[in-house]
Amino acid sequence: MSLHVDLKHRFRDFAVDLDFEVPEGITVLFGRSGSGKSTVIRAIAGLFKPDHARISLDGRVLCDSEAKLFLPPHKRRVGTIFQDARLFPHLTVAQNLDFGRRFSRRDVPEREVAQMVEMLGIGALLERRPDGLSGGEQQRVAIGRALLSGAELILADEPLAALDEGRKAEILPYFERLRDEIAIPVLYVSHSPAEVARLATTVIALEAGRVIGEGAADLVLSDPAVLPVGTAGAGALLRATVHAHHADGLTELSAGGAALFLPHLETPVGHPVRLRIAAQDVMLSLDRPTGLSALNILSGVVSQISPTQGAGVLVVLDTDAGRVLSQVTRRSVAALNLREGVRCHAVIKTVSIARDNIGA
Ligand code: ADP
Ligand code: MG
């Protein structure tokens, strides 16, 4: 199942012009505020009529301006989740779910409802009304309602933005289960690099209504062309597997044959993990440094040097473990005489786990 979007629209002060594909898994639409993310979501959901658009879901046309075809929102089989859950306040959780189910074109068997309730962990909430639930619980019910309505695509427009850190942490795993257990595409809007790192199979980066980067999450997120979007969060996303748990409390990961060490992880040996290494946590050295407390040093070749704002430079290093970014000063680049093709070493201060199990 996949979504194809070809969209051009002009508001008085803003235009979108983009063409992209959303495969199965979670595709994150990433971009700063005002880049056009919600406009894209609203066009797909059918909440406004674009000037020019052709939007199709697995060949089923939702909107084709040439053919003057515009399916109304309730006929699109698209479930939309907004920042606020938008549940019906006078209905219980069970009734809210049932409302979604009535929109489905087929009879959703009880068994399937039960599975959904189990997956979202909302079994204990069924008889309660939305105003008694936390924001995270409300969002889980909203996801359930969207799924039970027979949606063939889930749109989520910054679904965690209104939640505090604790509630975010509570709901992220459910989006991961959506990604890993349900074979329908999810288009998820976010401007948080951490969220992207954790959830995305695919990333589409937007800037001023245009796509400036598109593809596998690890590649797009480490592409300097995309980084103006989230310079503060610039970093690499690496895929690794748990190699060993050592007696001194460290866990050893293997990423493309390179070893990386972290404080103990609960993840069993052999399991995949996603790592995030922030560019500001990586120093560069021409020689392999010794006598350092840093545990993780990766050797690689400089593939790109891009200026960022101020005195900063972003250096892209291709290592066996994948692409690693380092945020250094122009002065360091000059002092080390760094150029494309130069071999050097990334000294990594902190590696954090983006998430166990990448699902793909
Ligand atoms: P994002 O979700 O990335 O923050 P939006 O898609 O909400 O961005 O908005 C992008 C731009 O489009 C903004 O400058 C906004 O003012 C403009 N815009 C969005 N909707 C409308 C509208 N209905 N009429 C006029 N301008 C709009
Ligand atoms: Mg928005």
Side-chain angles (χ1 to χ4, degrees), residues 30 193-194 196-197 203 216-224 226-238 275-282 308 314-317 322-327 350 352 354:
F30 180 59
V196 182
V203 176
D218 47 354
L219 294 181
V220 177
L221 287 181
S222 59
D223 179 355
V226 168
L227 292 168
V229 171
T231 308
L237 187 62
L238 301 181
L275 304 173
R276 195 173 143 67
I277 299 174
Q280 61 200 23
D281 289 340
V282 178
T308 61
L314 207 59
V315 178
V316 181
L317 201 63
R323 226 187 230 178
V324 173
L325 301 183
S326 172
Q327 172 88 53
T350 317
S352 61

Side-chain angles (χ1 to χ4, degrees), residues 11-14 31-40 42 157-158 189 206:
F11 293 119
R12 204 163 55 86
D13 301 320
F14 184 79
R32 70 176 111 211
S33 179
S35 56
K37 306 181 298 296
S38 295
T39 301
V40 173
R42 291 179 351 99
D157 192 351
E158 308 211 35
V189 169
L206 289 192

